[in-house]
């Protein structure tokens, strides 16, 4: 019996390509990068990777051409399609923000009432301002929104921002955030996908991808300490569960192993040392299934 292969649509160019391929590799999938053709076959799993435009990923999944896809949350929202988000991937983070020229009197969303706003995200912007009860005039454009106010095309913009340097370089100031975005894994809801081998394999891919994302958020710490310091050390470690305590050959000494948030490491390490720990090792977590 031949096993039907799952299809995963991923971006074929742009900023989401490299982090997406490395996530899939870290999840354990083996494949060659064929982004210039259309398709990569995974060698060790019945899954094919389809390379499509980032903007088209949602459509591929919605139409059932692929069972899953990786794209930006902003693009899912803008498409107006209700697809389940199977995992948040932790990269491609950005915000959809409203911005106006530095010399504009506008300070809040309410102040934008009656304004013309140029945006690459007309659906999201329209819906947001309608929900806010603020009437704005949306001018859809396909790119380079940041130059629209200078060209006299609009009073302000609604555009994606990550560092904010594009706004600064164009003499613009943020008024507020409409949507926070990051790369996501979306899935199709089709009959038969919730059960049977297709559904099981889809769930397996989701589990593997999530375990990598979860692992990247954590570090594994190993350290030695006098048993007398344990209480103070445990109070510093807000791990997944209680730490593992292993007696050492030297009388009164223990090894402590614990998982901590990757972002917490730099404030936790000096405190652990201050509490009596020594020989502290920080080790990456490849995958984590809680
Ligand atoms: P690209 O194909 O390179 O244009 O990437 C587009 C997607 O990357 C966007 O739809 C967002 O989901 C994501 N992204 C992350 N940061 C930014 C940013 N500063 N500007 C535009 N897109 C971003």
């Amino acid at each position: 019996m031949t096993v039907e292969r799952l299809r995963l649509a991923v971006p074929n160019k742009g900023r989401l390509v490299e982090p997406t391929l490395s996530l899939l590799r870290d999840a354990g999938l083996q494949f060659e990068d064929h982004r210039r053709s259309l398709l990569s076959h995974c060698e060790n799993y019945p899954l094919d990777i389809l390379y499509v435009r980032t903007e088209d990923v949602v459509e591929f999944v919605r139409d059932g051409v692929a069972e899953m896809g990786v794209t930006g949350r902003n693009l899912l929202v803008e498409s107006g399609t209700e697809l389940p988000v199977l995992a948040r991937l932790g990269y491609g983070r950005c915000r959809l923000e409203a911005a106006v020229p530095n010399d504009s009197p506008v300070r809040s969303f309410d102040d934008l009432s009656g304004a013309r706003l140029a945006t690459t995200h007309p659906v999201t912007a329209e819906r947001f301002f309608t929900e806010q009860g603020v009437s704005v005039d949306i001018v859809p454009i396909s790119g380079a929104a940041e130059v629209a106010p200078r060209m006299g095309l609009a009073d302000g913009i609604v555009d994606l921002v990550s560092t904010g340097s594009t706004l600064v370089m164009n003499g613009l100031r943020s008024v507020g955030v409409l949507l926070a975005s990051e790369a996501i894994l979306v899935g199709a809801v089709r009959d038969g996908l919730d059960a049977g081998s297709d559904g099981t394999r889809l769930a397996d891919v989701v589990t593997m991808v999530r375990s990598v994302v979860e692992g990247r958020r954590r570090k594994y710490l190993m350290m030695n300490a006098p048993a007398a310091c344990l209480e103070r050390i445990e109070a510093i470690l807000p791990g997944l569960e209680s730490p593992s305590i292993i007696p050492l050959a030297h009388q009164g000494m223990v090894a402590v192993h614990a998982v901590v948030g990757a972002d917490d490491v730099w404030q936790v390490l000096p405190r652990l040392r201050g509490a009596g720990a020594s020989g502290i090792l920080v080790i990456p977590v490849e995958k984590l299934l809680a």
Side-chain angles (χ1 to χ4, degrees), residues 13-16 54 72-75 92-94 160-162 181:
K13 45 180 192 290
R15 68 187 83 212
L16 298 183
T54 316
R73 175 165 179 252
N74 57 304
L75 294 171
R93 284 185 203 278
C94 55
L160 293 177
V161 176
S162 45
S181 182

Side-chain angles (χ1 to χ4, degrees), residues 95 97-100 102 106-107 161 167 172-177:
R95 304 168 306 276
E97 297 192 20
V100 292
N102 284 328
V106 169
R107 298 279 151 196
V161 176
L167 292 186
L172 299 169
R173 150 171 71 74
S174 176
V175 178
V177 176

Side-chain angles (χ1 to χ4, degrees), residues 1 19 43 76 94-95 109 148 168 172 174 177 187 196 220 228 231 237:
M1 196 184 86
E43 291 144 25
L76 176 64
C94 55
R95 304 168 306 276
F109 288 134
V168 171
L172 299 169
S174 176
V177 176
Y220 191 78
E231 209 172 308
L237 294 171

Side-chain angles (χ1 to χ4, degrees), residues 218 220 233-245 256-261 288-290:
R218 311 298 209 296
Y220 191 78
I233 288 178
E234 280 198 66
I236 299 167
L237 294 171
L240 277 184
E241 294 163 17
S242 58
S244 308
I245 315 286
V256 181
H257 294 192
V259 175
V260 298
L288 181 117
L289 284 108

Side-chain angles (χ1 to χ4, degrees), residues 172-221:
L172 299 169
R173 150 171 71 74
S174 176
V175 178
V177 176
L178 284 71
L179 178 86
S181 182
E182 68 184 287
I184 50 172
L185 179 69
V186 290
V189 243
R190 285 195 297 130
D191 289 349
L193 261 190
D194 294 336
S197 63
D198 252 16
T200 310
R201 282 183 293 125
L202 189 124
D204 287 347
V205 175
V206 175
T207 302
M208 291 303 275
V209 166
R210 276 192 194 152
S211 73
V212 174
V213 176
E214 289 303 317
R216 286 174 176 177
R217 292 191 182 128
R218 311 298 209 296
K219 296 287 179 199
Y220 191 78
L221 296 190

